[in-house]
């Protein structure tokens, strides 16, 4: 049966690439080596000129990594994907392939801290400026756009604020100005969010999170959804004759190749294995998150709860409209919640008294993890920036795992009593 006729859960396991091992190994092996041999000088030339599909050197392509790329491509319904060493590598490589010095990025002011630092500090040194706005505010978005703008960038759900980006609105504005709409789909994944249907052009992932299967390895991915006219982009001028493949070609043949931020075959093996159980894990984590958010909302020790799955959330209707990719399974806005206690001391006491929930800086692991964002991930930011981003001193972020939710609630309840 052609892969495009299979449903999501089946495509993860049986999509293109899965049938190809020469020894018929059911689990695709780790091709750990670096170099691949050729029969003749002619074969080598054909490989280097991309006349025949083949692998030459693992920094550029590798069979184990390619299987992971092919699986992600079909889950996102894209044109092609490139797997990288981390989510940050995916963001950096994608943007540097699309931009020249003097170009600007219009980005959400609510971003993962390292991404914000990349845009505001690192890129500035290369003459690439970012304007940070509320991307859900059409007027603010329009006002930020000028002749130097090339890209609009946001995350599907911001963290720790848990704001939902209005992707249909942003895509409408991006289309009007011929801007490339790039979205970080880490926390929703293609299981919850159909990026192509919402007008996104390029999807980025930290595959370290849900996709890896439980924080097994660090990884990232860039997926071109094949719906942007790359001849409009000056940074891709040399590749305009590659037509639909111009962006992927510049990455593979230049930016990704030269930066050397490839995914290792060992990580690709773990990530492909993790991806196979994505639906099961993400469903359980989202169900647990909703239950916990509803309990927290009723607890008098809690000042506020941010979770777009709550009917009281300002983002509930937007979340319902966007995060419902899986037919017949309703909607689910990810497994991360944030909430405010009375003050910083209460937040620290609560965190210190948890037994089951681990104190750790990651999200979308199988295990539930807790952090105080203001004193950790956002500690480099000024008080003014933190205030503007809603990263308050009494805020904690809980990434909900796939444990039995009653055990999680018992742990949370006892820690709240002691907070
Ligand atoms: N994007 C989001 C939304 C993240 O939460 C993170 C990391 O927490 C990243 C990107 C960076 O990913 P990585 O740690 O794999 O580089």
């Amino acid at each position: 049966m052609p892969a495009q006729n299979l449903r999501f859960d089946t495509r993860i396991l049986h999509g293109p690439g899965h049938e190809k091992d020469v020894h018929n190994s059911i689990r695709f092996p780790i091709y750990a080596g670096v170099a691949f041999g050729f029969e003749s000088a002619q074969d080598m030339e054909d490989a280097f000129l991309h006349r025949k599909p083949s692998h030459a050197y693992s920094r550029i392509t590798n069979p184990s990594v390619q299987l992971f790329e092919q699986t992600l491509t079909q889950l996102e319904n894209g044109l092609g994907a490139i797997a990288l060493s981390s989510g940050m590598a995916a963001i950096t490589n994608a943007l540097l392939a699309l931009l020249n010095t003097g170009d600007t990025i219009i980005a959400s002011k609510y971003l993962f801290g390292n991404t914000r630092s990349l845009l505001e500090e690192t890129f500035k040194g290369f003459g690439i400026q970012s304007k940070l706005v509320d991307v859900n505010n059409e007027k603010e978005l329009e006002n930020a756009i000028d002749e130097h703008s090339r890209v609009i960038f946001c995350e599907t759900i911001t963290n720790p604020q848990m704001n939902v980006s209005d992707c249909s609105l942003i895509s409408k504005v991006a289309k009007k100005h011929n801007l490339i709409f790039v979205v970080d789909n880490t926390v929703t994944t293609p299981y919850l969010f159909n990026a192509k249907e919402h007008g996104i052009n390029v999807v980025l992932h930290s595959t370290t999170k849900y996709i890896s299967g439980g924080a097994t390895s660090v990884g990232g991915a860039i997926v071109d959804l094949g719906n942007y006219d790359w001849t409009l982009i000056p940074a891709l001028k040399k590749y305009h004759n590659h037509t639909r493949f111009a962006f992927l070609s510049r990455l593979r043949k230049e930016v990704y190749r030269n930066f050397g931020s490839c995914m290792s075959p060992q990580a690709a093996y773990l990530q492909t294995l993790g991806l196979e159980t994505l639906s099961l894990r993400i469903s359980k984590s989202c169900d647990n998150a909703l239950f916990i958010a509803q309990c927290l909302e009723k607890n008098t020790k809690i000042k506020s709860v941010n979770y777009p799955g709550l009917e009281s959330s300002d983002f509930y209707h937007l979340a319902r409209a966007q995060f419902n990719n899986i037919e017949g399974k309703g909607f689910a806005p990810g497994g991360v919640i944030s909430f405010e206690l009375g003050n910083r001391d209460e937040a620290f006491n609560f965190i210190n008294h948890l037994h089951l929930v681990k104190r750790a800086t990651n999200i979308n692991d199988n295990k539930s993890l807790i952090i105080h964002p203001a004193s950790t991930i956002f500690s480099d930011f000024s008080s003014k920036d933190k205030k503007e981003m809603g990263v308050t001193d009494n805020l904690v972020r809980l990434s909900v795992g796939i444990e039995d939710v009653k055990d999680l609630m018992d742990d949370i309840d006892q820690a709240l009593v002691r907070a």
Side-chain angles (χ1 to χ4, degrees), residues 6 148 169 242 300:
L6 298 173
H148 303 293
L169 168 80
H242 293 232
T300 51

Side-chain angles (χ1 to χ4, degrees), residues 45 70 381 391:
E45 186 186 37
Q70 286 174 332
F381 290 91
V391 182

Side-chain angles (χ1 to χ4, degrees), residues 376-389:
T376 56
I377 321 167
F378 289 88
S379 56
D380 286 346
F381 290 91
S382 67
S383 305
K384 182 176 160 280
D385 282 347
K386 281 193 262 196
K387 196 170 169 212
E388 196 187 290
M389 288 186 269

Side-chain angles (χ1 to χ4, degrees), residues 85-91 111-115 153 155-159 184-187 204-209 217-220 361-364 377 397:
S85 55
S86 69
M88 289 315 299
I91 300 169
L111 289 174
F112 167 58
N114 294 174
T115 307
F153 177 78
E155 295 163 10
T156 49
I157 305 179
T158 72
N159 141 28
D184 182 332
N185 190 18
T186 298
V187 298
L204 306 178
H205 287 284
S206 164
T207 60
T208 316
K209 316 297 177 195
S217 49
V218 178
T361 179
N362 192 21
I363 52 170
N364 304 148
I377 321 167
R397 182 189 77 191

Side-chain angles (χ1 to χ4, degrees), residues 31-212:
Y31 283 87
V34 173
F36 298 83
F38 293 92
E39 289 301 320
S40 67
Q42 186 57 57
D43 278 351
M44 282 182 97
E45 186 186 37
D46 288 345
F48 276 70
L49 296 180
H50 301 277
R51 285 190 198 126
K52 272 194 211 157
S54 54
H55 301 284
Y57 192 70
S58 283
R59 172 161 47 78
I60 301 158
T61 64
N62 169 283
S64 306
V65 179
Q66 190 176 60
L67 174 64
F68 180 60
E69 293 172 339
Q70 286 174 332
T71 309
L72 273 180
T73 300
Q74 42 120 7
L75 294 181
E76 291 280 14
N77 194 15
L79 180 67
I82 293 192
L84 300 97
S85 55
S86 69
M88 289 315 299
I91 300 169
T92 306
N93 277 257
L95 293 175
L96 288 182
L98 294 173
L99 301 167
N100 282 329
T101 300
D103 290 341
T104 59
I105 303 166
I106 314 291
S108 167
K109 62 182 173 189
Y110 305 113
L111 289 174
F112 167 58
N114 294 174
T115 307
R116 182 156 166 164
S117 159
L118 175 77
L119 301 193
E120 280 203 303
E121 294 166 41
T122 317
F123 278 179
K124 211 182 256 179
F126 296 93
I128 295 169
Q129 303 283 339
S130 293
K131 291 187 190 171
L132 303 182
V133 299
D134 175 358
V135 284
N136 286 359
N137 180 330
E138 188 169 358
K139 200 156 166 240
E140 210 177 309
L141 196 56
E142 285 279 0
N143 286 343
I145 296 169
D146 63 21
E147 74 275 21
H148 303 293
S149 314
R150 295 269 174 260
V151 164
I152 303 183
F153 177 78
C154 67
E155 295 163 10
T156 49
I157 305 179
T158 72
N159 141 28
Q161 305 83 7
M162 311 314 300
N163 296 351
V164 176
S165 300
D166 187 342
C167 291
S168 300
L169 168 80
I170 303 164
S171 129
K172 184 188 81 180
V173 176
K175 268 202 199 103
K176 181 172 156 199
H177 297 275
N178 285 329
L179 304 181
I180 311 154
F181 187 16
V182 180
V183 167
D184 182 332
N185 190 18
T186 298
V187 298
T188 34
T189 81
Y191 181 67
L192 300 179
F193 181 56
N194 188 328
K196 200 168 184 175
E197 258 180 17
H198 288 84
I200 286 131
N201 307 119
V202 175
V203 170
L204 306 178
H205 287 284
S206 164
T207 60
T208 316
K209 316 297 177 195
Y210 270 132
I211 287 176
S212 77

